Amino acid sequence: MKRSWYAAPYAVWMALFTIVPLLLVCYYAFTTRSGAFTTENLTRIFDYAPVLFDSLRLALYCTALCLLIGYPAAYFMASRDMSRSQSLAVLILLPMWMNFLLRTYAMMTLFENNGVLNTLFEALGLPRQQMIGTEGAVLVGMVYNFLPFMVLPIYTVLKKLDPRVIEAAEDLGANPVRVVTRVVLPMSVPGIVSGITMVFMPAVTTFAISRLMSSGMIYLMGDMIEEFYITMNNRNVGSAMSLVMMVLILISIGFLRKADPEGQGGGLW
Amino acid sequence: MVRKSRGAVKAFKWTYLALVLAFLYVPIAVMIALSFNASVSRAEWTGFTFDWYAKLFESDAILAALEVTIEVALAATAVSTVLGTLGAIGMHAMKKGWASLLLNLSYLPMTTPDIVTGVSLMLMFIFMKIPLGKGTMLMAHIAFDTPYVLFAVMPRLKQMNPNLYEAALDLGCHPLKALYKVILPEILPGVVTGALLAFTMSLDDFVISYFTSSTDQNLSMVVYSAARRGVEPTMYALSTLMFLVILALLLIVNRRSSLEKM
């Protein structure tokens, strides 16, 4: 028996559990409950255009905030004069793998009406704030969950950057700001691009974060898919929405790939 | 003058990173602290208690979810470790074209959003008329765990001297015995890392489990339904325990994989 055959069970399993389900999503998206062909499921999505728009808008805000906060963090972690930056990197990146639900739950505790932040406000003589249910709270929850996904690829790229390039720029008289804007930033574009992908994707598809941080008042695409599948038991429209979401994501990945053709930003590995 | 400003820059960098770390860890720390708070209210601290932890182990629903979580994680780890390791060995011996096709297939579940993976698997199980429960959750977990094992084993195979296996065969070793006696010991560290990673991912999963099981709940699903009702201190205790276990596992995996890279 040839050694390559050892991969056969793996190949069969992966095809069965990734390709077949995705094909079924397409099938359900274009059929009625009884199985006849239709495009009505897709057109029904336009009824929910505001939800779609909100999801995209919040995901964009979240991605922008993650980039603003995450880039300096990655840059500082990767800088040469930081000792012990390796263990720091582990600490900042670890939450990436930790259950997002538990982390959102922790955030909820801080933001609740009777929560820790409001108690703190009161102690400082400030008025109590209604935070849960606002877009701000959802956004904080999203940034909190997805920030490490932005930091990792940028950090990886910056760490690999040849320090002599920066030294050369310094020797040639560039001031620190110019070194960053003309040398470091352009060279870290692949990292930025893959960071944007890695944050935008989960942000636009999130469902539990918005529900918990807004106690159900803010409704995003992910929440809608959940509702169609679980509560309303309408798998056809749910599938149509999943399909639209997948296509949106593939398009955005395609755009970003153009900016980083060699995939230098590196994914998780 | 120059030295002084350099010191200031360094202080600024540390402050910034400390703030980011605080943002990431303070909510978790607060939750852990509240799990020991005698008061049900989050607003006041009325004393230290283990009561919420004790209550955890009195709840049948939580104990049942714990059982489901561990059973599924162990079984998924066992199956995905075997599938993933054999897959990596096979792919390593394959022609370029097929190997890259299979590699892309392995990336697919990692790039598909969790919610889509979840609903698509749910559709398939419903289509195949398999009732959604522990069994379907297990199959789904195997599906997303296996690529992690594969990607942990692959680098080990690439480092291995390809002549060793050939030599074993030339010396009359049966291919299966060569697999067991020559290849496996070489790649074992990667296999163990992959298995640990698969176990962690399985313990950690919420979205895919949520969509692929309705009769049986795992711990994350219990936390979600409790969180939708509002905040309960027993859930803080449960979340704290889950955090600590997952954190410990992640640190072990990280240690192992960074040692291998060196």
Side-chain angles (χ1 to χ4, degrees):
Chain A
M1 191 174 80
K2 271 172 68 181
R3 229 179 345 146
S4 49
W5 283 101
Y6 289 138
Y10 174 76
V12 170
W13 184 275
M14 290 306 286
L16 185 62
F17 284 91
T18 56
I19 296 179
V20 172
L22 289 179
L23 290 177
L24 273 174
V25 170
C26 299
Y27 170 76
Y28 273 88
F30 286 105
T31 50
T32 61
R33 229 162 236 270
S34 52
F37 176 82
T38 180
T39 52
E40 203 188 307
N41 300 323
L42 285 167
T43 47
R44 268 194 70 183
I45 294 175
F46 289 106
D47 302 344
Y48 297 92
V51 178
L52 217 91
F53 182 71
D54 275 349
S55 307
L56 285 172
R57 192 169 48 88
L58 277 178
L60 278 176
Y61 289 166
C62 167
T63 313
L65 279 172
C66 285
L67 185 60
L68 276 177
I69 303 170
Y71 194 94
Y75 178 61
F76 295 159
M77 268 157 53
S79 65
R80 287 157 295 159
D81 57 344
M82 298 298 274
S83 51
R84 269 173 293 166
S85 66
Q86 197 65 39
S87 25
L88 204 65
V90 171
L91 272 180
I92 290 192
L93 300 175
L94 259 188
M96 190 163 138
W97 303 96
M98 287 200 271
N99 197 315
F100 84 96
L101 183 72
L102 297 185
R103 301 201 302 125
T104 310
Y105 191 53
M107 215 25 155
M108 214 175 120
T109 306
L110 293 184
F111 274 68
E112 265 191 313
N113 291 344
N114 303 313
V116 176
L117 274 179
N118 264 330
T119 314
L120 207 68
F121 286 158
E122 210 156 60
L124 293 171
L126 297 167
R128 285 178 167 266
Q129 303 282 331
Q130 162 79 34
M131 287 176 286
I132 290 286
T134 61
E135 247 182 41
V138 175
L139 207 54
V140 171
M142 280 159 84
V143 171
Y144 175 58
N145 273 290
F146 304 134
L147 182 62
F149 291 95
M150 183 64 83
V151 178
L152 171 67
I154 297 176
Y155 172 70
T156 314
V157 167
L158 288 177
K159 196 81 194 167
K160 278 190 239 154
L161 205 132
D162 190 340
R164 284 171 301 180
V165 177
I166 295 168
E167 278 160 24
E170 282 167 355
D171 289 347
L172 292 167
N175 62 25
V177 176
R178 239 175 131 74
V179 170
V180 171
T181 53
R182 301 296 291 270
V183 181
V184 178
L185 214 51
M187 290 185 78
S188 55
V189 167
I192 297 175
V193 166
S194 85
I196 290 176
T197 327
M198 282 168 73
V199 171
F200 185 75
M201 249 182 34
V204 81
T205 61
T206 182
F207 77 99
I209 298 176
S210 45
R211 164 148 298 173
L212 295 182
M213 294 303 287
S214 76
S215 58
M217 283 159 58
I218 290 173
Y219 198 69
L220 300 181
M221 237 192 309
D223 302 307
M224 216 162 57
I225 293 181
E226 181 204 359
E227 186 146 313
F228 270 107
Y229 271 99
I230 306 255
T231 323
M232 289 158 72
N233 208 9
N234 186 340
R235 290 174 208 121
N236 302 92
V237 177
S239 298
M241 280 170 192
S242 313
L243 191 65
V244 168
M245 204 155 78
M246 279 286 278
V247 171
L248 269 177
I249 284 169
L250 286 178
I251 292 172
S252 48
I253 290 180
F255 269 120
L256 289 166
R257 273 282 153 80
K258 275 199 170 159
D260 174 23
E262 284 136 54
Q264 289 179 56
L268 294 172
W269 302 93
Chain B
M1 180 62 201
V2 170
R3 178 159 302 162
K4 202 174 170 189
S5 78
R6 193 163 284 171
V9 167
K10 204 167 171 183
F12 175 75
K13 287 180 181 174
W14 277 111
T15 315
Y16 188 87
L17 290 173
L19 283 174
V20 171
L21 274 180
F23 176 58
L24 291 173
Y25 286 95
V26 164
I28 299 173
V30 168
M31 191 176 70
I32 292 177
L34 286 176
S35 74
F36 296 109
N37 184 4
S39 158
V40 182
S41 150
R42 273 86 60 202
E44 50 182 356
W45 178 269
T46 54
F48 187 89
T49 181
F50 278 118
D51 281 1
W52 309 120
Y53 288 88
K55 276 219 175 100
L56 219 53
F57 293 97
E58 284 162 13
S59 155
D60 288 337
I62 290 173
L63 288 177
L66 176 70
E67 204 184 306
V68 169
T69 309
I70 292 177
E71 263 180 44
V72 168
L74 284 177
T77 306
V79 178
S80 59
T81 304
V82 173
L83 272 179
T85 306
L86 287 177
I89 294 171
M91 267 167 78
H92 188 62
M94 247 177 226
K95 288 203 184 79
K96 261 263 158 62
W98 286 106
S100 77
L101 182 74
L102 209 50
L103 199 65
N104 280 324
L105 185 61
S106 315
Y107 276 121
L108 196 62
M110 289 175 155
T111 47
T112 315
D114 274 357
I115 189 171
V116 176
T117 309
V119 296
S120 68
L121 284 167
M122 175 188 173
L123 276 183
M124 185 172 77
F125 295 135
I126 290 172
F127 191 78
M128 289 166 34
K129 303 212 163 47
I130 306 173
L132 299 177
K134 217 158 46 176
T136 48
M137 194 198 288
L138 173 62
M139 285 189 260
H141 279 221
I142 296 170
F144 72 73
D145 272 345
T146 313
Y148 286 106
V149 178
L150 184 100
F151 287 116
V153 175
M154 285 297 256
R156 281 277 168 191
L157 281 165
K158 283 188 188 133
Q159 285 167 19
M160 203 183 131
N161 182 349
N163 298 326
L164 281 177
Y165 179 76
E166 305 293 332
L169 293 189
D170 287 347
L171 292 168
C173 193
H174 186 271
L176 276 179
K177 200 176 171 193
L179 177 76
Y180 182 70
K181 286 271 188 190
V182 179
I183 298 181
L184 197 60
E186 286 278 319
I187 61 172
L188 196 61
V191 175
V192 175
T193 306
L196 277 170
L197 202 53
F199 187 72
T200 315
M201 290 301 138
S202 181
L203 280 187
D204 208 30
D205 178 67
F206 161 63
V207 177
I208 295 170
S209 311
Y210 177 71
F211 284 105
T212 51
S213 171
S214 56
T215 49
D216 297 299
Q217 287 198 313
N218 70 4
L219 288 173
S220 299
M221 289 157 79
V222 169
V223 174
Y224 183 59
S225 47
R228 286 173 70 167
R229 288 195 302 267
V231 179
E232 284 170 43
T234 44
M235 287 300 127
Y236 290 149
L238 178 60
S239 306
T240 301
L241 291 178
M242 287 173 72
F243 260 126
L244 295 180
V245 170
I246 290 165
L247 188 68
L249 282 168
L250 284 173
L251 286 173
I252 296 171
V253 172
N254 184 274
R255 172 124 258 188
R256 294 185 61 92
S257 47
S258 60
L259 281 179
E260 269 166 51
K261 269 177 205 151
M262 275 173 195

